[in-house]
Amino acid sequence: MRTALVTGGTRGIGAAIAVALKDAGYRVAVNYAGNEEAAARFIDDTGIAAYRWSIADYDQCAEGVASVESALGPIDILVNNAGITRDVMFHKMTPEDWRAVVDVNLNGVFNMTHRVFANMRERKFGRIISISSINGQKGQMGQANYSAAKAGEIGFTKALAQEGARFGITVNAICPGYIATDMVMAVPEAVREKIIAQIPVGRLGEASEIARSVLFLASDDAGFVTGSTLTVNGGQYFV
Ligand code: CAA
């Protein structure tokens, strides 16, 4: 039985991924940053263990991963899902808005992957799956910080895929479009209506649709898929 860790796993896309992995027979743990209420509800509903730490902090990642591994065993599958937004037009964006988003969405990917990669090399198996975004592919007004970080995840994926290949480690990114989660619901309604009008499928995506993509990339069957970017956006943007 393989072990999976999902960051930002108590809500939204991360929770759907964690549950799908558990249902598919993986041993699963999730990480979360601070929403205790959501974490308590998630643990109650799913029985999946949730560990609190900030992925923006390298040392906390080291400790967090060590705790998960001592409970569940070495991590075979890392899903870098945790992410935040600080949407604001660039001329009003503060250095803090920039740094907060890059620290979590991009530096968090480094911090987490770095803690599991060496072990995966030794064990000759690994799956690194990073949840990037349509907005890392096409750019999005109001998201210079987020688009930069999400594009960074794609470059990271392509580079690390080349390093992992000889060791049975695949490294892939998924680029969700607009999915019905708290993050998208926080977009002003009038703007959200405009966005939905740009999606040919005519609706927001479901978190479970991203989870099913993760299941494929995590599987042994996907061993030849590495360095790829899987676009799951209802036809809103083609790369
Ligand atoms: N798509 C289409 N039009 C958009 C847009 C978008 N994503 N974002 C902003 N606009 C438009 C607005 O509708 C508005 O148009 P009009 O002047 O014609 O009315 C114009 O841009 C300016 O927007 P605001 O009046 O809202 O300006 P503001 O300064 O008050 O706020 C903003 C700017 C913070 C960027 C706000 O518009 C906003 O939050 N936009 C959404 C940005 C976005 O798409 N974020 C994605 C969040 S979900 C996510 O990040 C998950 C993921 O990976 C996809």
Side-chain angles (χ1 to χ4, degrees):
M1 189 189 272
R2 299 209 194 274
T3 299
L5 172 61
V6 183
T7 65
T10 58
R11 291 189 292 140
I13 292 174
I17 293 169
V19 169
L21 286 166
K22 183 185 176 203
D23 289 349
Y26 294 89
R27 250 190 312 258
V28 184
V30 303
N31 142 278
Y32 67 103
N35 186 332
E36 290 295 350
E37 208 180 302
R41 203 172 323 120
F42 173 82
I43 295 165
D44 256 16
D45 289 351
T46 66
I48 296 172
Y51 295 75
R52 178 175 174 160
W53 76 84
S54 167
I55 61 160
D57 185 302
Y58 188 82
D59 293 337
Q60 286 186 38
C61 289
E63 281 171 33
V65 167
S67 313
V68 172
E69 291 196 325
S70 69
L72 297 188
I75 291 161
D76 303 296
I77 297 151
L78 171 65
V79 184
N80 287 312
N81 165 79
I84 62 168
T85 53
R86 290 274 185 95
D87 292 2
V88 57
M89 294 298 190
F90 186 66
H91 63 285
K92 291 188 263 183
M93 187 175 284
T94 63
E96 164 56 21
D97 291 328
W98 175 269
R99 216 168 306 150
V101 169
V102 172
D103 270 353
V104 173
N105 297 12
L106 185 56
N107 295 338
V109 169
F110 168 79
N111 294 341
M112 287 301 301
T113 308
H114 203 239
R115 295 313 308 176
V116 301
F117 196 73
N119 211 358
M120 287 177 175
R121 270 172 61 108
E122 264 170 37
R123 302 174 65 243
K124 301 272 187 293
F125 180 88
R127 297 280 184 265
I128 308 288
I129 302 164
S130 296
I131 309 302
S132 175
S133 166
I134 184 175
N135 293 341
Q137 297 174 299
K138 72 172 185 58
Q140 172 58 51
M141 61 190 294
Q143 289 198 308
N145 49 5
Y146 185 88
S147 299
K150 292 296 185 181
E153 264 183 273
I154 296 171
F156 170 83
T157 294
K158 291 176 178 176
L160 196 63
Q162 296 175 41
E163 295 190 21
R166 283 182 302 143
F167 300 95
I169 305 169
T170 67
V171 188
N172 291 289
I174 295 175
C175 285
Y178 283 77
I179 308 298
T181 61
D182 293 347
M183 189 182 271
V184 168
M185 292 310 168
V187 171
E189 196 178 344
V191 176
R192 206 164 61 236
E193 293 305 321
K194 262 192 189 173
I195 293 169
I196 295 173
Q198 297 164 5
I199 305 175
V201 168
R203 62 171 175 87
L204 297 174
E206 297 295 329
S208 59
E209 293 175 300
I210 304 305
R212 287 195 288 276
S213 307
V214 170
L215 280 187
F216 169 63
L217 292 173
S219 70
D220 285 13
D221 285 344
F224 204 56
V225 182
T226 195
S228 77
T229 303
L230 180 57
T231 294
V232 188
N233 67 20
Q236 190 181 348
Y237 183 75
F238 303 127
V239 186

